[in-house]
Amino acid sequence: MAVSPVVTELSRPATELRAAASPLRSLASGQASSNGTPKPVGALRKNMGGNPPSLDLAEQMNEDEKRKWVKGKKLGEGTYAVVFLGHLRDDPSTLVAIKKMKKVSKDYEEGMSHDAIREVKHLQELQHDNIIALRSVFSSKDQNLNLVLEFLPLGDLEILIKGDQQRKIPGVRYGAADIKAWMGMLTRAVWFCHENFVLHRDIKPNNLLIAANGELKLADFGLARGFADPYQYMTANVITRWYRPPELLFGAKHYSGAVDIWSVGTIFAEIVLRNAYLPGGTELEQVKLICEAIGTPTEDNWPGVTKLRDYAVPSTNPVRGKAYYERTFEILGPEGADLLMRTLTLNPNRRITAKEMLQHSYWLAQPQPTRKEDLPRKAGGEETMGADLKRRPGVVEEDRGSRIARKLDFGAG
Amino acid sequence: MPRETQAEENFTLDRCPACGRMRYLNHDMEFRVSTICYHAICTVCIRNNFHQGPSKCPIMSCGKTLRTKDFKKAWFQDLGIQREVDIRRRVATVFNKVEEDFQDLDSYNAYLEDVECLTDDLVNGDDDKKKLAELKLQQWEAEHRAEIERNRRLANESEATRRKRMAAEEALAQQRRELEIQEEAEEKLKERKFREEMLDSLQQGEQGKANEAVNKILLKKRGQHKKDVAMEAAGAPALSIRGLVDKKRTAAVVDEGPYDPFMGLDLLPTRVDVSKERLAQYDNDTLKKVKMDDAWKAGGYSAEEYLSRALFEAFAGLGVFVDEEMGERGVSTQGAAQAAATGVTGGKMDID
């Protein structure tokens, strides 16, 4: 037994030792060093009396990790996950978002969903200012997976662009410098993913969250995957339709980081136009929109495209030139228009890469990007977010509250 | 000398410690306090002792040299407090930075703490400390003369604007109060009207539609109220706020230099060459197909990305020394390192 110091540290009763008898197991879980993995010994000591002795080491460490966090009110609910506000038990001021993965599909009864695995796998490894940070992972009762993520209170880029229709919040006002700052942060995030051989495959404005300090953060790695080996198929059915590149619409099975770059380009255009650039209702319509707005992919501008499985184009339009981009996206200036044109290149082999994007002269041209602290923020701010979440929809509010509040207006005196 | 004894021994309003005359017998006795040693004596003594120029303090144990102009009226009964207030006033004129001069709360708090420590040394400290603090104060004054002057001017200005604002607010509040009364009356009227309306509609409407009618009226009223609130908000005067961080000003001060799109991050691998030219030289049958076949080419699959990943994975972990990187991580990794160093793995354990 003396071999594993982890075990000898704890002078536990014999029954327990049997449960944790495999030092391989205990070491393996103690060793993994990336963020959010529990460090067993200190935590174990703290909870020696707390847990029933029947738990094995892994379970106990999970229990300790779980106990570090306090789950607060529900922030939102999606198809795949429920998000709660939470904080550290020791320090209530460090807020986090706890994402509890739902067991939606019957197929995954025996394990975790792909989304959850992908998210944990990639977020564990990627640590960057512009990528959402994964603080911890634990499983709660019934083996539900909980991801402890950075709390990003200021909404997402979509709200900034379009406002919130439901809550009647208008989008914020922003200018060329702000666009440059946001695009810079987005491009860095994508570049960082690609340099670490990860394809995000679902870049869209509402996956770009805004941190309290104004920093833009790439989130939702539910569709992410590592770069594939040469003879490995990848599915073409990824990326939200409006942001999906033509090669995926044509059903390519081998693709590269260029797919994310197309998404970045469409977002770039969307920020400028304040409207989705290519809002196709179906995949066919999406192809049509691309052909109209950017140009029709042909053998000339994209060798081999006609061999792709789902290649079908409605019409033949010439590819738009630089003048078109400079006219339509005037606010970006000639450099910005050039960068946009390169990100929206039809042929993925000729499309600019994330690294080349960052080397582009656009970033150095005037105006300088806004400092992240000075970027425009969601109208209403945190308070309205809290208030809106508290309100129940469709209930006629009593009029009394507001009347009383006015009476107590301390500013009036 | 300790403050308490000074206050108790020296300052009595009924009897002058220098000449011993009593207030009981001399009704017009007045006392002045020396700002040097904080001894209080009567005005007659001051005239007698100091009208010919500087002289020793008439209190025997003191021995400080004083002048007529060193004496002044004490505001506080407790001379200890009087002294502290004087010192604080003096310190405040020198250390006159305000919250807005600081970029963050921490540095502001640190400054406040420094000032308070210095003041405390001057007030309560022993002689050494006092001397040191005095020196510090003078040094600061000499070094920051221009800044102090500027802050003083600013403070005066802001005082003036504050007074102006107060007056304006006062007027506004008055106006608002009148409006409030008027509004109250209106509200009452509205309430009555609303009730009548509701009763009317309930009367007219059929039994089943009663609820609907109530809801409709409620909604209507709510809309009206919302409009009122919005109008009120629009009319509210802009509030002037004096805050900690003046972001605009610091932004002007802190020039970060040219924008770096990479934010100082260089992810180029150091152990392998992944330049395009070098990657083009890697060649084998597997890759040939990837590079030539349309299934890969048209989809944009990049052999270079694959190659750089393969190279990265081949060399990943080389040159990493677990001991060095994880040294401070605590027992778990130490245990792991130990296990790694001794070469004893868990596999052996699994046999039994």
Side-chain angles (χ1 to χ4, degrees):
Chain A
M1 273 291 100
V3 181
S4 163
V6 179
V7 178
T8 44
E9 274 273 320
L10 319 155
S11 48
R12 279 181 300 171
T15 50
E16 228 181 312
L17 279 179
R18 234 169 57 81
S22 162
L24 190 64
R25 188 193 322 178
S26 58
L27 270 179
S29 41
Q31 227 170 355
S33 59
S34 34
N35 60 343
T37 313
K39 295 188 184 101
V41 173
L44 276 179
R45 219 183 267 134
K46 205 166 53 195
N47 278 304
M48 276 300 282
N51 296 323
S54 60
L55 295 177
D56 72 10
L57 189 59
E59 280 173 301
Q60 200 165 23
M61 286 191 324
N62 177 54
E63 199 64 30
D64 294 332
E65 196 57 33
K66 190 164 101 188
R67 214 164 284 178
K68 269 191 218 163
W69 307 96
V70 180
K71 212 180 258 184
K73 66 172 190 246
K74 197 197 261 185
L75 288 177
E77 186 163 357
T79 334
Y80 300 105
V82 195
V83 180
F84 299 92
L85 182 67
H87 61 78
L88 261 179
R89 192 173 292 280
D90 298 337
D91 177 14
S93 62
T94 42
L95 293 178
V96 291
I98 299 180
K99 185 172 177 182
K100 183 174 169 184
M101 307 305 279
K102 275 192 200 169
K103 293 180 174 174
V104 257
S105 163
K106 290 234 159 48
D107 310 341
Y108 297 131
E109 259 176 2
E110 295 284 308
M112 283 186 279
S113 65
H114 281 144
D115 291 36
I117 294 173
R118 279 173 172 153
E119 190 138 20
V120 174
K121 186 173 154 189
H122 294 110
L123 281 182
Q124 260 197 128
E125 298 297 333
L126 298 172
Q127 288 165 39
H128 187 264
D129 283 347
N130 299 114
I131 292 172
I132 192 168
L134 180 70
R135 308 275 301 264
S136 173
V137 180
F138 61 84
S139 76
S140 54
K141 65 168 189 290
D142 221 11
Q143 297 196 334
N144 273 317
L145 192 67
N146 289 265
L147 313 186
V148 182
L149 296 159
E150 213 175 342
F151 178 53
L152 304 170
L154 296 181
D156 54 46
L157 196 60
E158 192 180 16
I159 290 179
L160 291 179
I161 296 174
K162 292 191 193 136
D164 197 326
Q165 260 80 26
Q166 264 183 348
R167 294 177 200 144
K168 298 253 159 54
I169 302 172
V172 297
R173 219 179 251 238
Y174 52 77
D178 306 322
I179 295 174
K180 192 176 284 190
W182 281 326
M183 284 312 294
M185 294 190 270
L186 168 58
T187 314
R188 272 195 293 286
V190 175
W191 166 66
F192 191 81
C193 288
H194 289 181
E195 286 293 321
N196 287 290
F197 317 110
V198 172
L199 298 174
H200 184 280
R201 303 201 297 181
D202 197 14
I203 300 174
K204 55 180 173 181
N206 57 6
N207 279 342
L208 301 171
L209 309 183
I210 313 287
N213 64 356
E215 192 96 56
L216 184 127
K217 307 223 177 204
L218 184 57
D220 196 350
F221 279 65
L223 282 174
R225 67 160 293 158
F227 286 1
D229 287 333
Y231 292 92
Q232 202 174 3
Y233 283 152
M234 288 186 275
T235 169
N237 199 17
V238 286
I239 305 190
T240 307
R241 193 186 311 113
W242 296 355
Y243 308 97
R244 198 180 296 168
E247 65 264 32
L248 292 187
L249 290 166
F250 294 150
K253 290 214 170 83
H254 304 279
Y255 49 84
S256 67
V259 294
D260 284 338
I261 300 300
W262 178 277
S263 307
V264 172
T266 48
I267 291 171
F268 199 4
E270 178 167 344
I271 299 181
V272 177
L273 300 174
R274 299 203 79 137
N275 234 328
Y277 185 45
L278 304 165
T282 61
E283 288 178 24
L284 282 177
E285 199 188 329
Q286 189 68 31
V287 175
K288 192 174 130 235
L289 283 176
I290 290 176
C291 292
E292 282 163 6
I294 292 155
T296 305
T298 58
E299 278 295 327
D300 291 338
N301 55 33
W302 183 353
V305 64
T306 48
K307 308 264 171 52
L308 285 173
R309 195 190 60 197
D310 299 335
Y311 177 78
V313 288
S315 57
T316 312
N317 301 326
V319 178
R320 306 258 189 187
K322 199 169 174 188
Y324 166 77
Y325 287 95
E326 281 182 20
R327 205 170 55 244
T328 317
F329 304 94
E330 205 182 343
I331 188 175
L332 297 177
E335 290 93 354
D338 180 65
L339 180 62
L340 178 62
M341 193 177 87
R342 286 167 193 275
T343 55
L344 293 177
T345 306
L346 293 169
N347 183 350
N349 297 305
R350 302 234 313 271
R351 206 173 294 152
I352 194 167
T353 66
K355 193 172 172 185
E356 286 160 4
M357 277 183 82
L358 289 175
Q359 288 162 345
H360 197 270
S361 60
Y362 169 61
W363 311 108
L364 302 177
Q366 286 299 325
Q368 261 216 340
T370 318
R371 285 151 39 90
K372 63 174 186 263
E373 296 87 354
D374 302 337
L375 280 170
R377 310 215 159 171
K378 186 174 88 167
E382 288 165 66
E383 292 86 353
T384 50
M385 175 180 153
D388 289 337
L389 285 172
K390 261 181 274 170
R391 194 176 302 139
R392 270 179 299 159
V395 179
V396 177
E397 271 178 66
E398 284 290 324
D399 212 29
R400 263 190 77 215
S402 48
R403 171 105 184 91
I404 289 169
R406 199 162 57 77
K407 274 276 187 189
L408 286 176
D409 183 5
F410 292 111
Chain B
M1 69 201 70
R3 192 180 67 168
E4 292 82 10
T5 54
Q6 193 185 35
E8 281 159 20
E9 281 169 15
N10 300 337
F11 195 57
T12 48
L13 271 171
D14 294 333
R15 185 174 168 278
C16 171
C19 59
R21 290 189 313 142
M22 313 267 277
R23 178 191 281 285
Y24 184 71
L25 300 171
N26 305 278
H27 279 288
D28 52 353
M29 248 177 113
E30 272 186 56
F31 287 87
R32 295 286 186 272
V33 176
S34 127
T35 50
I36 307 285
C37 59
Y38 284 87
H39 288 132
I41 53 176
C42 68
T43 43
V44 179
C45 288
I46 293 173
R47 204 166 51 236
N48 290 344
N49 282 314
F50 300 104
H51 78 281
Q52 279 179 329
S55 169
K56 286 249 158 87
C57 177
I59 309 292
M60 279 314 177
S61 57
C62 176
K64 289 239 167 68
T65 308
L66 306 174
R67 291 172 178 78
T68 320
K69 70 170 173 62
D70 291 334
F71 287 92
K72 59 169 210 170
K73 259 189 182 164
W75 181 269
F76 295 100
Q77 178 81 19
D78 185 340
L79 287 182
I81 291 180
Q82 179 67 44
R83 177 167 163 271
E84 183 165 346
V85 168
D86 288 344
I87 290 175
R88 279 184 185 281
R89 184 171 295 147
R90 194 170 143 235
V91 172
T93 54
V94 176
F95 289 92
N96 59 358
K97 283 190 175 186
V98 284
E99 216 174 345
E100 285 150 55
D101 293 331
F102 294 89
Q103 293 193 8
D104 54 75
L105 195 60
D106 280 349
S107 57
Y108 179 50
N109 282 339
Y111 167 81
L112 286 183
E113 195 180 343
D114 280 349
V115 172
E116 190 54 37
C117 284
L118 187 125
T119 312
D120 190 62
D121 280 353
L122 280 174
V123 174
N124 297 323
D126 50 33
D127 281 350
D128 288 346
K129 272 192 182 160
K130 242 187 246 178
K131 233 173 252 166
L132 211 70
E134 184 70 31
L135 211 70
K136 234 188 197 161
L137 188 70
Q138 279 165 5
Q139 202 180 340
W140 179 277
E141 193 172 8
E143 279 170 9
H144 297 80
R145 185 149 297 158
E147 200 182 331
I148 289 168
E149 184 56 32
R150 188 187 62 105
N151 280 340
R152 203 175 52 80
R153 219 179 43 244
L154 280 176
N156 284 344
E157 262 167 38
S158 71
E159 178 67 10
T161 53
R162 194 180 63 88
R163 239 179 260 136
K164 228 180 274 171
R165 206 185 65 227
M166 292 274 270
E169 265 172 19
E170 188 69 16
L172 214 70
Q174 180 65 28
Q175 211 179 338
R176 213 179 302 158
R177 253 180 307 231
E178 277 161 17
L179 211 76
E180 192 111 315
I181 294 168
Q182 200 184 330
E183 227 171 65
E184 203 113 309
E186 266 173 31
E187 190 101 356
K188 253 181 205 150
L189 201 74
K190 233 189 270 174
E191 198 115 301
R192 205 166 51 220
K193 220 172 103 193
F194 165 66
R195 184 169 301 148
E196 273 167 17
E197 213 173 294
M198 185 172 81
L199 286 175
D200 277 357
S201 68
L202 283 176
Q203 217 168 18
Q204 288 164 4
E206 296 146 39
Q207 202 89 106
K209 284 194 176 169
N211 256 341
E212 202 179 309
V214 170
N215 275 344
K216 212 163 87 189
I217 294 159
L218 268 175
L219 278 171
K220 199 166 141 197
K221 196 184 165 201
R222 215 172 127 229
Q224 177 63 34
H225 187 84
K226 250 190 196 158
K227 213 158 67 188
D228 288 351
V229 169
M231 270 171 72
E232 235 168 72
L239 200 68
S240 82
I241 299 167
R242 283 164 61 90
L244 169 79
V245 197
D246 197 338
K247 271 196 191 128
K248 290 271 148 30
R249 224 166 71 194
T250 49
V253 172
V254 183
D255 184 20
E256 289 159 338
Y259 181 72
D260 176 14
F262 291 92
M263 285 291 152
L265 208 60
D266 182 15
L267 297 180
L268 207 67
T270 48
R271 282 165 191 280
V272 284
D273 183 4
V274 289
S275 63
K276 272 206 166 110
E277 303 78 51
R278 187 75 190 81
L279 288 181
Q281 291 168 10
Y282 289 95
D283 208 14
N284 57 37
D285 289 345
T286 316
L287 282 177
K288 202 166 275 168
K289 187 167 180 203
V290 170
K291 280 180 187 167
M292 304 310 291
D293 195 313
D294 276 344
W296 282 268
K297 245 174 77 184
Y301 186 85
S302 154
E304 281 157 10
E305 274 179 3
Y306 165 67
L307 278 170
S308 51
R309 180 168 68 93
L311 282 169
F312 173 83
E313 282 171 0
F315 292 100
L318 289 185
V320 174
F321 299 99
V322 179
D323 290 7
E324 278 172 24
E325 284 199 10
M326 305 271 190
E328 73 279 11
R329 284 261 193 140
V331 186
S332 67
T333 39
Q334 271 173 33
Q338 196 181 324
T342 50
V344 184
T345 57
K348 203 167 139 197
M349 299 304 297
D350 275 345
I351 298 166
D352 55 44

